[in-house]
Amino acid sequence: MTIGNAVSWMRSEMSQAETAKAEAAQEIDDAKSKEIFQAAQSSIDASMKEVSERLAEVAAKERTEANARKQAIFDTIYLIAAADGSITPIERAKLVLGIQGLLGDGADEATIDDGLSMARVLREEKGLAGAAAHVASVISEEFERYALLSIGSTVAWLGGGVGAKEGAALQAVSGAFGVPIKVLHQIMASAAAVAKR
């Protein structure tokens, strides 16, 4: 082997060694990049999962609040309508119209029957004052409170007028709502005209 060949061979070997070294460095860089990418992807996935879980919690809370509000509407009307011991077919028909006015399409017959059954259970468990206080803790908007007293008053006027038990129920609910008795009497007077139609 001549010196020229030896130098050429050495250069070739060194070049191959440099190439192998560069390829090894590239593989290390690729592995690090892949590791960094996987770590970033895992972090993004964890963040997305957390966001998704929080959105689900918010949606569930909103559904729970909406369902509690809807049930409180049934509870209020039941407390007044059933104060005398029963809900007559005429009372029920007016009651259904009032509930559908407040709830819209979400108040079909089955929903109303379920809501009134649950309201009966609340009344049995907490009594009139306790049930009225419970409803007031859920229904906070003044408009809804007045609307519920109006519907309840209309139903109470059916079948010969507001009896002592229905009057007591109206007073309990209006008291829990913070509606003065004078205002309740005005609502009841308007409801009397509606009930006579």
Side-chain angles (χ1 to χ4, degrees), residues 15 29 33 41 58-59 62 71 103 127 133 142 153 171 173 176 180 187:
S15 176
D29 285 347
S33 294
Q41 187 65 44
V58 168
E62 288 176 357
Q71 186 56 47
L103 300 179
E142 186 177 65
S153 294
Q171 288 179 12
V173 172
I187 291 170

Side-chain angles (χ1 to χ4, degrees), residues 80 152-170 188 191-192:
I80 299 163
S153 294
T154 302
V155 172
W157 276 109
L158 298 172
V162 178
K165 291 179 180 178
E166 291 164 323
L170 281 163
M188 290 174 67

Side-chain angles (χ1 to χ4, degrees), residues 20-32:
K21 184 178 174 185
E23 287 174 355
Q26 185 63 43
E27 286 177 11
I28 290 170
D29 285 347
D30 288 348
K32 284 181 182 176

